[in-house]
Amino acid sequence: MAPEPLPNVLEITPYVPGLSLETGYKLSSNENPLGCSPAARDAALQGLTQLEVYPDGGANLLRNAIGERYGIDPERIVCGAGSDEIFQLLARAYLQAGDEIIQSEHGFLVYQLVAQQSGAKTIKVPDVDMTAHVDGILSAVTEQTKIVFLANPNNPTGTYLPFEEVRRLHAGLPSNVLLVLDAAYAEYVSKNDYSSGLEMAGSLENVLMTRTFSKIYGLAALRLGWAYGPAKVIDAINRVRGPFNVNALAQLAGIAAIEDDGFTSKSAEFNRRELARLSEAIESTGLKVYPSVANFVLVEFPSEGDYTAEKADAALQKDGVIVRDVKAYGLPNCLRISIGVKEANDQVISTISTFMAAR
Ligand SMILES: *Cc1c(COP(=O)(O)O)cnc(C)c1O
């Protein structure tokens, strides 16, 4: 008999990343169209001169830099190879067969994947207006619930839960349930009633906030993320992570990136302008654009006829634009379009306008 993996492993549907193009515009993975901080790039290049040396297993300088930037205790930060790795480590430390996690219906798919690896079940709670529904989540809690994952803002919907709603969610959870606030797009949000969860993760025993360098910092290739939360949770993650889980180039670039506020604000400002421009232009063709606070928009197409998401996707591809189909998120009539460089957004507007007008 051949070696057999665990049955729950065979149930996993592998994550399908955004498609790439040889030429044209890739608007399928929410990457930063402005690239990354030049200082971060220089730091990574500098790191190339010492490839024989193991990285700092504790990512100490990076955690100090993050701590300094946010005014938080570096001892309560742990870094990972992307926030995806943090989710995996959480599953390893907190989930086993029979356990449940809760996430929103159209929430980020990686949570479900990591739960499956541990044999845990994912309960998906219906959204209201494409937004996570606090009361729904609370009523889904059972004795088996171990983690509630909330992407805020959420990918792929682009919507967010105001601070007070996140507070209310936490207040309704049993104290043994870990609330993970995934704030991958926090730096893009400019709403007075939004909070990344930094204060909650700093003061509550069952709240963890995760962040990433893949989005506004433009360092997706290096795989770097971090989590901040109660000492006990950070300790558990540290016990299950690999001793050198974050590579040296990522650590060097991350330090430079987090110190380069100029690049971050330039990226946020560019995104604000282009997000508004793209949203308005697509809406003016008669399509539904969900209000986004992140660096992408979710566009809804009619479910049948000449204007379907599938046909729009084909038209965009023909014009050299790759966007994300979100069937796997239960949104077969939608496309998720990342904000790109100006010319890319121009192309999206032009293709969708022609597509909608031609029929
Ligand atoms: C992109 C994204 C992340 C970041 O993942 P990394 O592994 O850090 O690249 C995390 N959460 C959500 C919701 C995302 O969209």
Side-chain angles (χ1 to χ4, degrees):
M1 239 191 29
E4 272 300 310
L6 299 170
N8 52 298
V9 170
L10 295 178
E11 281 165 20
I12 294 173
T13 313
Y15 185 83
V16 182
L19 294 173
S20 292
L21 262 190
E22 303 260 304
T23 58
Y25 300 115
K26 183 188 179 201
L27 303 181
S28 56
S29 298
N30 302 341
E31 292 146 352
N32 188 336
L34 305 185
C36 71
S37 152
R41 187 172 168 278
D42 287 348
L45 285 172
Q46 198 56 42
L48 288 174
T49 58
Q50 282 213 304
L51 291 183
E52 74 284 8
V53 181
Y54 273 100
D56 170 9
N60 287 293
L61 296 178
L62 174 59
R63 287 189 300 107
N64 287 343
I66 296 170
E68 183 104 337
R69 171 68 182 74
Y70 289 100
I72 58 179
D73 180 2
E75 289 299 315
R76 291 176 53 183
I77 296 171
V78 62
C79 297
S83 30
D84 281 3
E85 191 198 22
I86 307 266
F87 305 139
Q88 298 211 2
L89 297 172
L90 282 172
R92 200 178 291 165
Y94 287 91
L95 301 176
Q96 61 184 349
D99 289 343
E100 293 173 359
I101 68 155
I102 300 176
Q103 67 167 95
S104 66
E105 182 184 10
H106 305 302
F108 193 43
L109 272 180
V110 171
Y111 315 140
Q112 176 176 2
L113 292 181
V114 302
Q116 273 180 308
Q117 289 177 18
S118 296
K121 195 168 141 193
T122 299
I123 309 297
K124 289 195 182 172
V125 174
D127 284 351
V128 173
D129 292 336
M130 284 293 184
T131 309
H133 185 226
V134 169
D135 293 307
I137 293 172
L138 291 177
S139 58
V141 173
T142 70
E143 299 266 294
Q144 282 69 48
T145 309
K146 291 292 171 345
I147 304 180
V148 172
F149 282 100
L150 179 74
N152 198 29
N154 183 51
N155 170 18
T157 57
T159 54
Y160 76 105
L161 271 192
F163 176 66
E164 308 240 308
E165 280 292 278
V166 181
R167 277 273 174 194
R168 196 165 72 79
L169 172 60
H170 172 264
L173 289 176
S175 59
N176 67 315
V177 173
L178 180 63
L179 174 61
V180 177
L181 300 173
D182 173 1
Y185 301 94
E187 300 86 355
Y188 287 109
V189 188
S190 54
K191 299 277 184 189
N192 290 334
D193 61 352
Y194 173 78
S195 162
S196 64
L198 197 79
E199 301 81 3
M200 289 174 71
S203 58
L204 299 164
E205 288 306 311
N206 61 335
V207 178
L208 187 80
M209 176 194 68
T210 62
R211 303 290 282 260
T212 182
F213 281 87
S214 300
K215 303 290 155 61
I216 207 163
Y217 295 104
L219 297 175
L222 292 176
R223 312 305 302 125
L224 183 59
W226 55 281
Y228 170 62
K232 199 169 162 190
V233 177
I234 299 301
D235 174 65
I237 297 175
N238 272 322
R239 286 170 195 269
V240 293
R241 72 176 173 84
F244 304 105
N245 62 324
V246 179
N247 75 75
L249 304 189
Q251 294 188 34
L252 291 166
I255 293 167
I258 205 146
E259 289 170 352
D260 189 350
D261 280 332
F263 178 80
T264 316
S265 32
K266 189 172 105 183
S267 299
E269 188 46 44
F270 175 82
N271 186 71
R272 245 189 302 283
R273 279 200 311 273
E274 289 294 292
L275 175 68
R277 185 169 78 91
L278 191 71
S279 303
E280 281 161 30
I282 296 176
E283 254 179 346
S284 74
T285 69
L287 292 169
K288 165 106 185 142
V289 179
Y290 287 94
S292 171
V293 295
N295 65 342
F296 55 86
V297 286
L298 185 73
V299 184
E300 189 167 286
F301 296 79
S303 59
E304 34 191 68
D306 291 332
Y307 305 96
T308 61
E310 204 165 326
K311 287 175 180 158
D313 195 4
L316 286 161
Q317 281 197 39
K318 197 155 153 277
D319 289 349
V321 181
I322 293 287
V323 302
R324 183 59 163 266
D325 95 49
V326 279
K327 289 190 195 94
Y329 288 87
L331 298 165
N333 303 321
C334 294
L335 294 176
R336 191 195 70 192
I337 308 175
S338 307
I339 303 302
V341 293
K342 274 207 177 68
E343 297 72 25
N345 307 329
D346 288 343
Q347 184 63 62
V348 170
I349 293 169
S350 149
T351 301
I352 292 189
S353 304
T354 310
F355 172 77
M356 293 302 289
R359 281 140 224 262

